[in-house]
Amino acid sequence: MHSADPLWVTVFLTIHIAAGATAFLMAPVALATAKGGKTHRRWGMVYLWSMGVVAATAIPMAFFFPVRFLALVAVFSFYFAFSAYRVLRLKELARGGSASPIDWIAGLITFSTSAVLAWLSWFRPHTIEVLPVVGVIFGLIGMRGAAVQLLSFVKKPTEKMFWWYSHLGNMIGSYIAAWSAFSVVTLTRVVGNHWWVWLWPVMVGVPSIALTTAYYKRKFAPRVKRSAVA
């Protein structure tokens, strides 16, 4: 923040920092509380709306400074949180239900912007201020996240608890993206512009999603009753 910045930038940055701090604090609280309980839902919604404010303020500021990479990341970081919330309303997909237009629109926008991120990162990295390999990885992550959701609208899930795995994985994915943006903005000023500064949240978070999902799949797996011994 500089004194020469326009007033709107100062206001947006202040709101952005406050919303980001709220999101960072609320995500662990929501994860630690009983799933499905009133406290979990309350703080989960606070996190969702905080991420919405973070994305809404990041996009115009990213074009002002400019750091266009963060604008594109802001889209799919919010989408992960949004789709994690929406999947709770889409439990009927496993029984032939349909997604709403808002789900299709959000997924298509996220897939498109993530594809643009991957393409620009590889062919024109100077236009979005990013290391090529980093931008491609983030673009592919965003494309995959959106594609998985969109495909579930067409090829309906067969697992009864699909919504649980999607909700958990996408919420953690959103948190990973938030940490990535925070790391780029802060740590690069201290340790320099290294690839690991951009990607360490992904390297920590993706295995965490895989392990947590595997844990709950074992927990929800039908228990086979042992036959009585004659």
Side-chain angles (χ1 to χ4, degrees):
M1 187 182 299
H2 304 285
S3 58
D5 291 339
L7 177 61
W8 73 266
V9 173
T10 302
V11 173
F12 271 45
L13 186 58
T14 302
I15 296 173
H16 181 83
I17 292 172
T22 301
F24 278 122
L25 292 173
M26 290 303 104
V29 173
L31 285 170
T33 53
K35 306 301 181 288
K38 185 181 294 185
T39 302
H40 177 79
R41 293 196 302 269
R42 179 190 301 119
W43 298 122
M45 287 301 296
V46 172
Y47 173 78
L48 172 65
W49 285 110
S50 296
M51 288 301 297
V53 172
V54 167
T57 51
I59 292 172
M61 289 194 299
F63 284 91
F64 172 80
F65 280 112
V67 192
R68 297 179 183 88
F69 166 78
L70 294 180
L72 295 171
V73 171
V75 173
F76 78 75
S77 64
F78 173 67
Y79 175 73
F80 277 119
F82 173 77
S83 60
Y85 164 73
R86 282 296 304 166
V87 78
L88 300 178
R89 304 291 188 274
L90 299 173
K91 297 178 184 180
E92 292 300 316
L93 285 177
R95 292 183 287 273
S98 301
S100 299
I102 187 64
D103 301 304
W104 282 98
I105 293 169
L108 290 171
I109 289 174
T110 302
F111 185 89
S112 300
T113 55
S114 298
V116 169
L117 171 59
W119 188 86
L120 288 176
S121 298
W122 192 254
F123 295 103
R124 298 184 179 180
H126 62 283
T127 63
I128 55 171
E129 310 84 31
V130 66
L131 299 173
V133 67
V134 172
V136 169
I137 290 173
F138 275 99
L140 293 176
I141 290 173
M143 290 170 66
R144 182 187 181 279
V148 167
Q149 296 299 116
L150 291 170
L151 287 174
S152 72
F153 304 157
V154 179
K155 185 179 181 181
K156 304 302 173 62
T158 56
E159 286 189 273
K160 180 181 178 182
M161 299 299 293
F162 81 94
W163 58 272
W164 179 284
Y165 311 133
S166 181
H167 175 74
L168 185 66
N170 285 1
M171 275 297 186
I172 297 176
S174 172
Y175 200 47
I176 292 170
W179 268 107
S180 299
F182 176 78
S183 177
V184 170
V185 172
T186 57
L187 292 185
T188 50
R189 300 176 183 178
V190 179
V191 299
N193 190 23
H194 304 288
W195 67 268
W196 54 267
V197 174
W198 300 68
L199 293 179
W200 73 263
V202 174
M203 293 186 290
V204 173
V206 170
S208 299
I209 294 175
L211 291 172
T212 306
T213 301
Y215 165 79
Y216 279 108
K217 284 192 173 185
R218 289 194 302 271
K219 181 177 179 179
F220 294 140
R223 296 184 179 182
V224 178
K225 294 182 179 179
R226 295 182 179 179
S227 58
V229 179

